[in-house]
Structure formats: structure tokens, C-alpha cells
Amino acid sequence: MEEFAEVSGISRPTVSKYFHDPDSVRKTTRSKIESALEQYDYRPNIFAMNQNRKATKTIGIVVPYLADPFFAEIVRKIERLCIEAGFWPIVFSAHGERSLENDALATLQSLRPIGALIAPLGRSSDFESVQQFAEEVPTVVFDSNVNVGAAFVGSDNFQSIGLMVDYLCRTGEPPCFFEMPPVNPNANKRRDAYRQAMERLGHQPQVIQVEGSGWEFERIGLEEGMRLISERSLPSDSILCSNDRLAIGLLAAAYQKGLRVGHGPGCALRIAGHDDHPWSRFTCPPLTTVSQDYTAIAERSVEMLFELIAGGAPPARRREVLFDGKLVLRASA
């Protein structure tokens, strides 16, 4: 920047002021700087500049598995909101691994972010590392309610699962619940919500926990679904899956086993999920599910982080915001 200031004939403090806020310098000066930028093809090193700032414009976003379209969609919305507000979002994926989540948090912290929006792995997270990060960086947690940070934004799993159980019981045989060993707190809440809803309606809960670990939900749904169908061990012809990705695998298993899925004559199974995953409308048949409000979760998470950044100090009590799900009726149930 010193070299650029010298060759452009503009003082170093004025150049620095321009990069901090272009509107803070006079219009004629701004035009001169922008002409020089084009002539000399100069780009400031934002990360180097951050080392000299008390407050940067960097906002970190950490998710467990960016290849999952659910997280990709939420991150897309969060990124745009941050950019429109004049911040620089940087995205990290933990790829489903504790060590990579720790590395992402450590790398992000070294960039001196002004704040962070994180969806922790959950069950496999190193809680102490996540907690330490959230104590040192203003943090809002979304999707996976690990008890760290100043606030959490997510879905009300008891409301959304209850909504789906009510519908399935009204329209056919009461559902069993299809899950794998939980990877985050949402899975536990959904199972508990299913049991609560079934008991409220006077039905016996029937939980099927299949084998499998990690984030390959579709593969687990396919392989374990084929096994259960072959063994004729499904306790109900209505199946509520813990998430849409498991349901997508189970739909494929039913197809390979020659079972028609849907609601009506000739259908052997009804299959429903949770999340309104971006792919759920394109399955065959399209998947009945409960939608998470992607837009509301993203907007409220960013809004709360901006409030936290502006306020300077974390609130006395951790805040939680939960959004209701909406029933999305499609052909699978």
C-alpha cells in the first residue's frame, strides 16, 4: 500500500481510509484512487490489513458437511446477507470429522473474524474447543444446538415431527420411526418428538435404529432399507425417517425391491422425511416431508450476529430462536 500511495500520488492514510470505506473520501479523490487502481492493478492484502485492525470485516461460517445440499443452501443465503451488509464471509467445512472442525475453528480464529456463524458437528464435536472458540469470537450457532455461543437459531423439532405424526396417523397406519445412530442433537430431538406425538395420540412408538455412521445417509437408508424389506421386519407400512436423506435411500431400497411407495391402491409403503431437502421434490415418487425455513434461519442467524457485533458484549443469557416447520405433501405419503 505504501508503494501504491507513492506511485499514485495519494497519501497513505487516504488510501487506507478508502479501502476501509470508499464513501469516506471525497468524490474527486475516490475517482483518482480508482483510476490508479485500474492502472497499477493493485489489490490490498485483506488478511494482512486485518492484523492491524481492532475489528475486521471477516465473518466465519463453519458447517459440518458442505457437500450436503441442506448446508449448501443455508450457507448460500448467509453469505449473500453478509456480503450485502459489507462483510467478507469465509466458509469452512468440517467434512464430518472432529479434527477438521477443530482445524477450521483454529484457522478461522487466526484470521481475527469479527464474528462467526457455526453449525457444529454435534455428537462428535470437541466441545471444549468449540466452547473456547465461541468464548473468544462473537458466535451464533445454527441448526445443531450445541450449548455454546451467545445464541442459537434452528427448527422446532417437536412441533415439526408432531405435525408429521399427526398427518400420518390421520391418513393411514401409524408410522414407525426410521433412524441411524444420531450425529447431532436434532436426531435425538426428533426421536423424542416422535415418541411424544405417538403417545399423545394413543399409539405405541416403534423406533427402528439401523446400523451406520457418518454422513452417508442415502447409502445407509438404501442398504439398511433393503435388509429390513428382505427380512419383512418393518413394523408398519408407514415410515417416518429422521431426515430426508435417509428417506431418499429408503425410497431407492423400496424401488429395488419392487415395492410401490405412495398413498392409495397398489401402494405397499408410505415414506416421509424431514427437512424439505433440496432434492426431496425430485425423488420418485416426490417425498412428503416437513420443511425447515431455510430463509428465516439464515436471516435470523445473521441478524442476531450483527446485533452481537454492534452490542460489543454477549447477552447475559443465551438466546434461542426456533422456527416452526410446514407440512409438504407429495406423492410418497
Side-chain angles (χ1 to χ4, degrees), residues 148-317:
V148 300
F152 169 74
V153 182
S155 294
D156 186 343
N157 288 294
F158 281 85
Q159 179 272 338
S160 57
I161 288 290
L163 190 66
M164 179 60 81
V165 171
D166 284 346
Y167 165 73
L168 292 174
C169 289
R170 283 199 321 269
T171 56
E173 186 174 350
C176 59
F177 189 76
F178 183 84
E179 67 166 5
M180 56 180 278
V183 296
N184 65 25
N186 287 323
N188 288 322
K189 286 184 173 65
R190 291 174 190 176
R191 183 201 321 113
D192 293 343
Y194 162 78
R195 285 184 169 139
Q196 185 181 99
M198 289 287 282
E199 289 169 357
R200 172 174 52 82
L201 295 170
H203 302 297
Q204 180 66 35
Q206 300 181 93
V207 176
I208 305 169
Q209 187 173 94
V210 299
E211 294 183 0
S213 61
W215 290 79
E216 294 184 282
F217 300 108
E218 294 88 357
R219 179 186 61 78
I220 294 167
L222 170 63
E223 293 177 356
E224 290 298 293
M226 290 184 70
R227 178 181 65 79
L228 291 169
I229 292 170
S230 296
E231 295 172 355
R232 299 181 180 273
S233 54
L234 287 169
S236 171
D237 63 15
S238 297
I239 307 163
L240 172 55
C241 297
S242 180
N243 62 60
D244 284 352
R245 292 183 60 192
L246 275 174
I248 289 169
L250 185 57
L251 283 172
Y255 174 79
Q256 292 191 32
K257 287 295 184 178
L259 298 181
R260 184 176 177 184
V261 175
H263 191 283
C267 293
L269 297 174
R270 292 191 302 162
I271 297 175
H274 189 289
D275 293 337
D276 198 20
H277 188 284
W279 294 344
S280 62
R281 71 188 63 186
F282 304 114
T283 57
C284 187
L287 183 64
T288 287
T289 184
V290 182
S291 67
Q292 293 203 55
D293 195 334
Y294 293 68
T295 299
I297 291 171
E299 289 179 349
R300 191 70 182 114
S301 297
V302 171
E303 181 182 302
M304 294 181 82
L305 181 62
F306 289 171
E307 290 173 2
L308 188 61
I309 292 169
R317 294 181 59 187

Side-chain angles (χ1 to χ4, degrees), residues 32-68:
K32 188 176 180 182
I33 292 173
E34 289 169 355
S35 295
L37 287 173
E38 186 173 347
Q39 179 181 354
Y40 296 106
D41 194 28
Y42 174 69
R43 298 289 184 276
N45 185 326
I46 300 300
F47 299 112
M49 290 167 64
N50 283 348
Q51 300 307 311
N52 293 323
R53 288 177 171 168
K54 291 183 180 179
T56 71
K57 290 191 173 183
T58 301
I59 288 180
I61 305 168
V62 182
V63 295
Y65 205 77
L66 193 56
D68 186 327

